[in-house]
Amino acid sequence: MFSLKFKNLTQFTFIYFLVLAIDILVKLYGPIEYRYFSKPFLIPLLLLYYYHNKETHNKRGQLWVFLALTSFLIGDILIINHLNQVSLAASLLFFTLGKLFFSLKFIHKEDFNVVRLIPFSILLFAYIFILVGFVYQDLNVFFSAAIFSFFFTLVIFQFAFLRKGVYSSRSYYYVFFGVLLFLVSESIMAIKTFKQNIPYQDFLIMLAYGSSIYLITMGIVFEKDAVGDNEKVT
């Protein structure tokens, strides 16, 4: 009977954000060791929901999603102790792999409008350039890893942008805003880790990150919708 909850979007969403809220509270007020018990529940919940609701015909696409979420799970665990340089470097690697796998999932064979992509890419590149420039002097040995990770942020954002018109509006906007929130979370984390503290940083990082992975996964599940079909799944 428990598996039925993974067929009901409303119930699953409540459970997921309840777990996210608990993890945020642990992050804000609990010992860091407790996060090894609170944080790792988020991604497995999404893996279970995706498993029960995935598209049935695209086996390769399913593989990329499972690999992406698994990579993010490993990155989640490693980055808990981000003050340790080895853990931080390893987490950057797995988050980058996660973005790579999601990018491979978002690739499609439909034609796309290059003219529409250019201004979006320029705007996105300018943002990443400003962000890297802001933390540049404090990156030190993480410069190459950070540049590599931000490069794949550009890649996943562009592929998410190019999904417009290929999938339903609901699927497109869930994925697009999910990637946008991931960029927000990644930006705040980069500033916090390499430059300076900012107000409410831990709360904002986890809220944006947890919401981003949820939206991306739901957007992929909604690929089953017909284009133009925006009826809600319950």
Side-chain angles (χ1 to χ4, degrees):
M1 295 295 293
F2 178 75
S3 63
L4 293 177
K5 296 185 187 311
F6 293 98
K7 287 291 186 179
N8 187 300
L9 179 59
T10 302
Q11 290 183 13
F12 174 78
T13 300
F14 174 78
I15 294 170
Y16 178 84
F17 281 97
L18 177 61
V19 173
L20 176 60
I22 293 172
D23 182 55
I24 291 174
L25 290 174
V26 172
K27 181 178 179 66
L28 294 177
Y29 303 110
I32 187 174
E33 293 80 9
Y34 288 10
R35 296 211 67 215
Y36 289 101
F37 298 96
S38 63
K39 192 174 185 180
F41 281 102
L42 288 171
I43 299 297
L45 280 173
L46 291 174
L47 281 167
L48 283 170
Y49 187 85
Y50 178 73
Y51 175 78
H52 285 284
N53 296 275
K54 64 184 181 299
E55 68 278 17
T56 58
H57 63 283
N58 188 353
K59 298 298 183 182
R60 181 176 296 181
Q62 294 171 20
L63 175 62
W64 297 140
V65 175
F66 284 121
L67 288 175
L69 290 175
T70 301
S71 297
F72 277 111
L73 174 60
I74 298 172
D76 280 350
I77 296 171
L78 289 168
I79 206 169
I80 291 173
N81 187 19
H82 66 275
L83 296 178
N84 180 292
Q85 289 195 347
V86 175
S87 295
L88 178 59
S91 69
L92 283 173
L93 171 62
F94 280 100
F95 282 128
T96 302
L97 285 174
K99 287 183 280 189
L100 170 62
F101 292 134
F102 269 137
S103 297
L104 291 171
K105 167 61 179 131
F106 295 154
I107 293 175
H108 57 79
K109 298 179 181 179
E110 303 295 330
D111 294 334
F112 58 89
N113 189 336
V114 177
V115 175
R116 186 166 62 92
L117 179 63
I118 291 175
F120 175 78
S121 299
I122 292 174
L123 182 63
L124 185 59
F125 179 82
Y127 174 81
I128 296 295
F129 182 81
I130 292 171
L131 178 62
V132 172
F134 181 67
V135 300
Y136 169 76
Q137 293 184 337
D138 301 280
L139 288 174
N140 299 319
V141 296
F142 291 99
F143 177 77
S144 297
I147 293 298
F148 196 61
S149 180
F150 283 131
F151 170 76
F152 276 99
T153 299
L154 287 170
V155 172
I156 190 175
F157 223 134
Q158 288 177 321
F159 281 124
F161 182 74
L162 290 173
R163 295 174 72 254
K164 187 174 181 62
V166 178
Y167 300 101
S168 68
S169 295
R170 179 169 66 164
S171 175
Y172 171 77
Y173 285 113
Y174 266 66
V175 168
F176 183 83
F177 286 112
V179 174
L180 179 61
L181 282 176
F182 183 85
L183 177 59
V184 171
S185 173
E186 188 175 49
S187 300
I188 299 172
M189 187 67 187
I191 295 171
K192 169 194 171 181
T193 304
F194 300 113
K195 191 68 176 180
Q196 64 189 41
N197 292 327
I198 62 176
Y200 310 109
Q201 58 190 15
D202 292 333
F203 171 78
L204 293 173
I205 288 169
M206 274 312 300
L207 181 62
Y209 173 75
S211 300
S212 73
I213 302 301
Y214 169 86
L215 289 173
I216 291 171
T217 305
M218 293 302 108
I220 293 172
V221 170
F222 295 154
E223 287 181 355
K224 295 183 293 186
D225 296 349
V227 176
D229 179 12
N230 294 309
E231 294 181 2
K232 294 183 179 180
V233 175
T234 58

